[in-house]
């Protein structure tokens, strides 16, 4: 990622409101005190506040439709980060938009299978209809078009998503009809998943807040019907034909490893040996190679030279060197001994 002066990436990275980029639309809503309160509510969900950055960026998008310089500044202030740190995250993930978007984000999969089945033709046709290229917004503000590397729905190819909701098995004409309906203000039902809202609404959902007006609408979205035919086609055909996978030939499955050699689970009663030391001895003895032996030695209570353990400097620990003070041990300097 490059953040060149005058680019949308540069504005997001620096967080400067005077960066020479595409100006914000006149109707861009400001980030209010309510936005800050919701940001702090997100922060309260995490043991470390900075872990809240990803949903907070979605929150900014839910208000303004993209990660604006103002949004970068808000996240930085609330989390105690620099604008550059926030911008580095905002410019890494493609779900964070760096310029104003339309009401809807239309993503066309152009990866291998979708491309072979017509995904690139769909992308080209929609770009021509809208008069835009990748990551650009139609002049009427209705749709932002982007190509997607993979939408993880190869069994439904070619696939288009609108605000991350799936419209499966598309072709040029069906995709053009879908986008035309969006531009008229309609919201065609997805093939599967929740009913369509808009990009700001789904950004609010990704921030961890409901995008729906009430609990009933939220339940209806969760319970929306879906078409699963292509995914289950193989199962259906196998049942119709009475087919099943043949049994796998091979050795009998071994019992799960309990983590200890069987003959050392119970103490032997040897004088001076605790169960922990007996188990550690057995792990070292059972090691098949030097790497395993070294790993087993690291956890042995004695950690002595008889287990092949060397200090990072190459010397072996002496009997009167307290554990944890060998040279190179984290937080310790060179070992010292009383004269």
């Amino acid at each position: 990622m490059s953040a060149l002066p005058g680019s949308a990436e540069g504005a997001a990275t620096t967080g400067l409101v005077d960066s020479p980029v595409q100006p914000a639309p006149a109707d861009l809503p400001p980030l209010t005190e309510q936005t800050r309160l919701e940001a702090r509510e997100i922060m309260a969900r995490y043991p470390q506040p900075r872990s809240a950055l990803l949903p907070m960026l979605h929150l900014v998008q839910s208000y303004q439709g993209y990660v604006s310089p103002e949004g970068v500044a808000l996240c930085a202030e609330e989390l105690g980060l620099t604008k550059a740190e926030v911008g580095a995250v905002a410019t890494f993930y493609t779900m964070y938009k760096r310029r104003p978007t339309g009401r809807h984000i239309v993503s066309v999969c152009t990866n291998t299978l979708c491309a072979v089945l017509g995904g690139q033709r769909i992308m080209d046709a929609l770009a021509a209809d809208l008069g835009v290229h990748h990551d650009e917004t139609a002049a009427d503000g209705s749709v932002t078009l982007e190509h997607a590397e993979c939408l993880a729905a190869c069994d439904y190819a070619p696939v288009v998503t609108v605000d991350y909701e799936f419209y499966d098995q598309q072709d040029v004409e069906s995709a053009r009809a879908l986008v035309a309906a969006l531009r008229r203000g309609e919201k065609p039902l997805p093939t599967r998943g929740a009913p369509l809202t808009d990009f700001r609404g789904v950004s609010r959902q990704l921030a961890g807040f409901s995008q729906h007006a009430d609990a009933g609408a939220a339940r209806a979205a969760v319970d929306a019907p879906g078409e699963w035919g292509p995914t289950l086609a193989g199962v259906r055909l196998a049942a119709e034909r009475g087919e099943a996978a043949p049994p796998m030939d091979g050795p009998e499955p071994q019992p799960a490893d309990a983590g200890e050699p069987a003959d050392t689970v119970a103490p032997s009663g040897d004088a001076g040996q605790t169960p922990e030391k007996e188990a550690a001895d057995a792990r070292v003895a059972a090691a098949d190679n030097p790497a395993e032996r070294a790993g087993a030695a690291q956890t042995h209570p004695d950690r002595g030279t008889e287990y092949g353990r060397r200090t990072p400097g190459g010397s072996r620990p002496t009997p009167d060197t307290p554990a944890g003070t060998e040279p190179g041990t984290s937080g310790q300097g060179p070992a010292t001994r009383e004269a």
Side-chain angles (χ1 to χ4, degrees):
M1 186 278 295
S2 61
L4 301 177
S7 67
E9 290 83 356
T13 301
T14 63
L16 299 177
V17 296
D18 58 349
S19 296
V21 297
Q22 180 179 343
D27 60 348
L28 185 71
L31 300 178
T32 64
E33 187 60 25
Q34 178 64 25
T35 314
R36 288 189 180 272
L37 292 175
E38 290 180 340
R40 291 168 187 171
E41 182 178 338
I42 294 172
M43 292 164 59
R45 302 171 189 164
Y46 296 89
Q48 296 295 329
R50 66 182 297 158
S51 300
L53 177 56
L54 298 182
M56 283 174 65
L57 290 171
H58 285 298
L59 179 68
V60 168
Q61 289 194 146
S62 76
Y63 278 93
Q64 297 188 321
Y66 75 116
V67 178
S68 65
E70 182 186 8
V72 169
L74 182 145
C75 292
E77 291 168 10
E78 292 296 324
L79 295 173
L81 302 173
T82 66
K83 293 175 183 177
E85 288 174 315
V86 175
V89 174
T91 56
F92 183 84
Y93 297 103
T94 59
M95 289 178 76
Y96 300 125
K97 306 308 176 185
R98 289 163 281 182
R99 55 176 60 87
T101 58
R103 289 192 305 274
H104 301 287
I105 300 286
V106 174
S107 308
V108 181
C109 183
T110 55
N111 214 330
T112 307
L113 185 55
C114 283
V116 167
L117 295 176
Q120 189 61 54
R121 290 194 296 275
I122 292 173
M123 180 71 184
D124 293 342
L126 296 183
D129 288 352
L130 295 169
V132 300
H133 299 290
H134 166 68
D135 199 27
E136 293 181 350
T137 301
D140 61 3
S142 60
V143 169
T144 296
L145 180 67
E146 65 179 12
H147 76 79
E149 279 303 308
C150 183
L151 295 174
C154 297
D155 43 350
Y156 295 91
V159 173
V160 173
T161 64
V162 179
D163 306 327
Y164 311 124
E165 300 293 349
F166 282 93
Y167 294 81
D168 301 320
Q169 296 178 316
Q170 296 291 297
D171 57 30
V172 170
E173 292 310 313
S174 65
R176 294 177 75 178
L178 169 62
V179 170
L182 295 173
R183 301 185 76 183
R184 292 193 300 267
E186 301 171 13
K187 297 180 179 180
L189 283 176
T191 309
R192 50 201 165 94
L196 198 63
T197 55
D198 55 27
F199 178 64
R200 296 189 186 189
V202 78
S203 293
R204 185 165 181 80
Q205 191 86 30
L206 291 168
F209 299 98
S210 177
Q211 62 172 311
H212 303 289
D214 52 49
R219 285 194 300 272
V222 172
D223 296 334
E227 171 57 55
W228 306 103
T231 297
L232 302 178
V235 176
R236 177 178 55 79
L237 289 172
E240 292 175 356
R241 299 169 181 174
E243 297 173 345
M248 294 182 64
D249 297 327
E252 291 294 321
Q254 299 297 314
D257 185 3
E260 301 290 352
D263 58 348
T264 63
V265 172
S268 65
D270 291 347
Q273 283 287 87
T274 64
E276 291 77 14
K277 287 187 177 182
E278 289 186 6
D281 286 341
R283 280 196 296 270
V284 174
D288 292 331
N289 55 62
E292 291 184 3
R293 190 174 302 108
Q298 290 288 342
T299 60
H300 196 285
D302 290 341
R303 300 199 300 178
T305 58
E306 63 270 30
Y307 299 108
R309 183 176 185 270
R310 290 181 179 272
T311 62
S315 62
R316 298 184 185 274
T318 59
D320 56 347
T321 303
T325 60
E326 299 91 337
T329 302
S330 177
Q332 302 290 337
T336 58
R337 297 178 61 185
E338 296 279 340

